[in-house]
Amino acid sequence: MHLHTATLRSILQRSRRQLLRDALLHGALHGIWLGLLIALLVGALSRFWWSIPLVKPEQVAGVGLLVAPLLSGLWAYSRFAWTDSEVAFLTDQLLKTDERLITALYLEREGHEMGRTLSDLPHDLEASLYRAIKRPLPTHSRWLLLVSALVLAVFFIPPSSNAQWVPPNPTEVQAEANRLAQSLSEGELLPRSIQDTMDQLVEEMKKDTIDSKAAQEQLDALDHTLNTFSDQQRQSKKALNELKSAAKELSEVSTLNALANAIGRADMDLASRASQQLAAQSTQWSPDETERIADALKRAAQRLQQPENQGVADALKSAGEELASGGRSQSGSNGKGGQSQHRPNEAGSQDGQNGQSGGGEQSQNSGGEQSGQHNQSDQQGLQTLADELRRNEALAERLKDGERALQQAEQNSSALRAARERLSANSATGQNPQSTPSQQNTPDPQRAPGLAHTWEDQSERTGKVNAGQNAPNERFSQRTADQAIDDFEMLYRSLRVDDVNGQLTAVNGTRDNNGQIDVFKTTRTGGSEQASTPLLVLPTRYKDAAEEAISDERVPPGYRDAVKTYFDGLE
Amino acid sequence: MTDDVPWFIERMDQLRHEIAKVIVGQNEVVDAVLAALVSDGHVLLEGVPGLGKTLLVRTLARCLALDDARIQFTPDLMPADIIGTHILSEDGSGRRRLVFQPGPVFTQLLLADEINRATPKTQSALLEAMQEQQVTIGGKTHPLPPPFFVMATQNPLEQEGTYPLPEAQLDRFFYKVLVPFPTLDELIEITARTTGNQHPSASPVLSADELRRLKTIVRRVPIAPEIIHYAMRLIVATQHGTAHTAPITRSAIRYGASPRGAQTLILGARVRALYAGRSHVAISDIRAVAPNALRHRIGLSFDAEADGLTADDVIRSLLDQVPEIGGQVKELLGEYRP
């Protein structure tokens, strides 16, 4: 096969291209090793030594693995500066052509005829060219896969305690997400869909994949969903409140205390047993007592108006009527002594019983059979009540679950509203708290009063600190000329547990004969447990502070009416 | 070159074939002698007596239709015995005058047998003639008839009472060829040819013009600069104190090859390329002719001789240690070769 100059140049050009490709590939292989070294260093450092306030180590390693081969390959490509003679010489060596190509190149350069120089070359020169000139992979490349697996394994090692990656300063959305993650309560009481929506929203806010406006909108939507759920659960609360009212009626008769307590707690199983006990004791009741019990049962039945309590109401009513009819017949046989007197206070019931016992003996002798039948009906009525109560056990449990769910939903709803208002305030004022997780509980002295501030928030400082005053980290803020303080914090500060950042979630007030008693429910922001402050009698200066606050008009404008109404109710 | 190579190969084959009628075996020796002949060089043959060295010269002379002569060097040989002298001659009229009587050197093919037995003075007379292609006597220069080709011999056995050729003189020989003892088959053939009634002889197969053309063809064979560079690196590797000095040089070579060695490498490689049917020189040609071209041009150190190293051993090491290519080509080639 005789080759001409053009063919010679073509061969050399193909050789050069193949060599260039191989240079790029080999350079990239070396770059992969460099990238693996970078990834190994980053992985080891992030696992075992110090915290690096950068992006995630996986991202750094990934960038290194991508960039290093690219740069190395390009560098090797750029270093490839082979002359035609060198390419020809290499090709001659690999193809074992006895230096025909470089001699031909020399003759071409000198302008001589090539003659027989390129004769007798193999016919499959092109195929043998690529086969021969293709550069074999370096020997170290066989270890690439294994080393890559080892480097990848390093990233699965759990970081040590002092090597946690500190994420950069969170945005306002991320800060709010962290707050929500700590304040939102989880449980099986809320529907799975609502729980999942909450979790997803918090997750998106943590990752900062949504902006403040979108977060506010989603918080609103979720709050609306929770409110709808809460409305559905209020029915349960109503029903339970009715049971408590009914229990109150029953408790006016001491004999029914056990039944009253059980129904008041919606413990239908206990109530059923109490009713059975009453049935057993009913034979020992005097007619007056029986009548009182009957009246109490009927009054209790009247308290139950909700559909959920209909069964219990009917059973109570029926039992009361049975007892009433039995008591009237018993008193009729026993004379006037059997009439009972209905008094709210059963203090005189025992005297009534003593008075009745004498007359009871007489009626007993004469009307023994008739009273026996009525006793049976009394027992039957109470037994029926017991059965009905037992049947409503599951319903009662659902009511209690509903009440708890309502409480949880309201709690979460308030947290969502607080978050939304804070985001809205930050958006309005252009603020970005830039708080780190360790600073989440530190009050922001720059926030104006009344902005994104609800009385459910933990006590946060809203005023600037003048020179010589207490440091901002102290629990009690200092008043400044143009900023209000958190009056509720001042009101409740004496009731707080020291060194605990508590989030005041609700204040439940109940009235008893001795005065107003408040129970403050607090939630520790750092943990999941709940702590309640013990029942306390409000200090005397509670009122003084309230009057002072109201008179100084330092109450946030949005809460003035509520504060006034509240404190007025204490009078 | 396209037509020259086939013609060269044809004529050389013809010559070899003709020589082979008389000389049994010794193909490498014959090729080396012919290579030196067509390269305008001289050959130093080293071998025991009776290997056909004289017969080779005579056969070659017959094949080329050239005059030949033989000089047996002895210790009492005088320069005048080689180059000739003036003698007093009387013509028919009785007048006496000095007439130059040419010596045996005035021939075209000369066999200088056992050249190491003559004195250095006598050796130098011949070597000067080899170099100058002429003889100067009495102020008058007498050119030697072309192509003046000398084939000198040395006996490696009898070293006592000999005068080894000085290095400068050895350098004038193109090749130093070691003549091996014939193989068994060759010996049988030799005996069969020479102990019978038939006496094989060679016939002229090449004219002087053809010989001149052969020489011209040899010098026209192209050689790439990279290959010349390799040959030069081989020569420089035998020198001390250079950047390309080979490790073997430091330990085994006392003095290295001269530029004549470089010329010999190039010319010898060209002839070998033509022998192989190529019209260009390959690196393998350089490597193949290096032993013949360099073994008489490098001086072994005392350590090398004490270790029993021969010149051929040192040349083999040299060929291993001097890379054929350099730079990034060599670096890349290393990845292809395990």
Side-chain angles (χ1 to χ4, degrees), chain B residues 43-75:
Chain B
V43 176
L44 177 63
L45 298 178
E46 184 169 286
V48 296
L51 297 182
K53 296 186 288 297
T54 307
L55 187 58
L56 174 59
V57 171
R58 291 219 165 112
T59 306
L60 184 59
R62 288 201 181 89
C63 291
L64 297 174
L66 297 175
D67 295 332
D68 68 287
R70 174 177 178 272
I71 302 176
Q72 179 63 50
F73 279 63
T74 57

Side-chain angles (χ1 to χ4, degrees), chain A residues 19 26 81-82 85-86 89-90 93-94 98-100 102-103 106-107 113 115-117 132-136, chain B residues 1-2 5-6 222-227 277-284 324-325 328-329 332-333 335-337:
Chain A
L19 289 171
H26 281 245
W82 284 44
S85 295
E86 287 171 326
F89 205 174
L90 179 72
Q93 295 295 308
L94 294 173
D98 292 329
E99 288 75 51
R100 287 177 199 274
I102 55 165
T103 305
Y106 160 71
L107 290 173
E113 187 188 335
R116 292 165 54 93
T117 304
I133 209 166
K134 186 157 177 53
R135 201 165 153 190
Chain B
M1 285 297 290
T2 307
V5 174
I223 178 168
E226 290 81 2
I227 300 172
R278 281 184 274 106
S279 61
H280 70 282
V281 177
I283 286 179
S284 56
E324 296 168 359
I325 47 180
Q328 54 189 359
V329 178
L332 188 57
L333 259 185
E335 297 186 20
Y336 289 88
R337 294 170 181 166

Side-chain angles (χ1 to χ4, degrees), chain B residues 192-213:
Chain B
R193 288 189 193 184
T194 57
T195 59
N197 291 326
Q198 293 181 347
H199 300 280
S201 62
S203 306
V205 294
L206 208 65
S207 66
D209 288 338
E210 287 174 332
L211 182 58
R212 272 195 293 275
R213 187 182 171 189

